[in-house]
Amino acid sequence: MKTRKRVFALLLALLCLAGCGGGGGAKSLTKTVRPAPVEAGLDGEDAAALAGFSLELLKENWKGENLLVSPLSVLCALGLTANGAKGETLEQMETVLGLPAERLNAALAAWAAELPKEKDCRLDLANSLWVRDDGSFRAEEDFLKTAVSWYGAEVFASPFDSAAVREINGWVEKNTRGMIPEILNELRKETMMVLVNALALEAEWAEIYTDSQVWENQIFTTGDGVEQPVTLMYSSEFRYLRDEGAQGFLKFYKGGRWAFAALLPDEGVRLEDYLASLTGERLRQVLADAEETEVHAAIPKFKGECSVTLNESLKAMGMTDAFEAGLADLSGLGVSELGPLFISQVLHKTYIEVDEKGTKAGAATAVIADAGSDMPGTVPEVYLDRPFLYMLVDTGTNLPAFIGAVTDMS
């Protein structure tokens, strides 16, 4: 405990120096600081709350087109931010995120501690704080302690000049292994802090597809009945998913802890109607109830990237005050001479590539804080040749790190 106190005293001293102004680019204030060991687990109730948020995030942002979001990335960025919120602002954030801030810190830290680190299935997660370094802003001690202790966040003091955007984007590119080359276009003079999460998944299938299993010139039919050419990868899997109105399967990555999960609405059931009926609790139950039986499966080869601003969807979910200057109470983040802090933007970008060998996926989320005032007797077939829901799932918790919808292969 004494060692941790000395570490944070040093961190705060550095921040005080950073607040005196300066130049020469961002300065890392936490190179020698390490997060505290996690002594918390992720229980079923907390996991259900995170699953609920994951599904609502997809629903609120899906407009009928291909979409991929990373609930894990968004939860980390907003969970970190929630530690600086107070009053009604905090209550709204906790309601939307599904857990009180303290429980969310522990749940995310416990989940992060169990992320796969093997060569053939690896998910790396990183968090950072970028603090304006011109004397106009002072970060709060308790918030910085939480950021480092629970989120392992790196803290950088930056002049927020033209080079700072390149530095933040460079950090994101590095921590997504090049899959997300940038998250920001600019930093405004009112911006006091940027809270960033980045994650990257590279996973090889437990059983790689052979050439004979990969068929070109197959047909994918959109919800409007348009037929599109697609390459399908066929296999027999042994975890069958069944829900009211949909069926699917799990295809495992090496190590067996992580899997590609797909749910295909039944013939005549639109994807949007199925999604509207689905809850986070039911989704986790469908995954947990995976039946050990053969299923003939087909996954299309695809890749894509998405970029969304989450402001409006988070407001629709109930997190309104945090975005309103004069209403937001983010005083736990720090104090600015320009006035109280509020969230001006929540930016989110994702990338995915699914092929014969496995899956690559990356995500980044930035919170910008500104100042101002079944089928018995037969082998089921689940061929993803029409709109479907998919996830990259931690099978230990039945939580998706990524969740998306595919409606178009053009």
Side-chain angles (χ1 to χ4, degrees), residues 357-369:
K357 294 184 178 180
T359 301
K360 291 174 60 178
T365 306
V367 177
I368 315 299

Side-chain angles (χ1 to χ4, degrees), residues 198-271:
L199 62 85
L201 170 70
E202 291 187 80
E204 189 174 299
W205 300 121
E207 294 186 8
I208 297 173
Y209 292 95
T210 64
D211 290 345
S212 63
Q213 293 174 295
V214 181
W215 290 42
E216 299 180 352
N217 298 316
Q218 303 298 289
I219 298 298
F220 181 93
T221 305
T222 70
D224 295 331
V226 177
E227 296 185 347
Q228 301 171 331
V230 67
T231 298
L232 288 177
M233 302 180 293
Y234 293 88
S235 63
S236 290
E237 305 301 333
F238 294 90
R239 289 293 189 279
Y240 176 60
L241 304 176
R242 186 62 188 161
D243 189 22
E244 182 179 348
Q247 61 176 340
F249 59 87
L250 297 176
K251 182 174 179 63
F252 289 95
Y253 297 107
K254 284 194 173 178
R257 175 67 185 259
W258 284 72
F260 179 97
L263 284 167
L264 180 71
D266 295 339
E267 290 280 2
V269 177
R270 299 187 306 168
L271 178 58

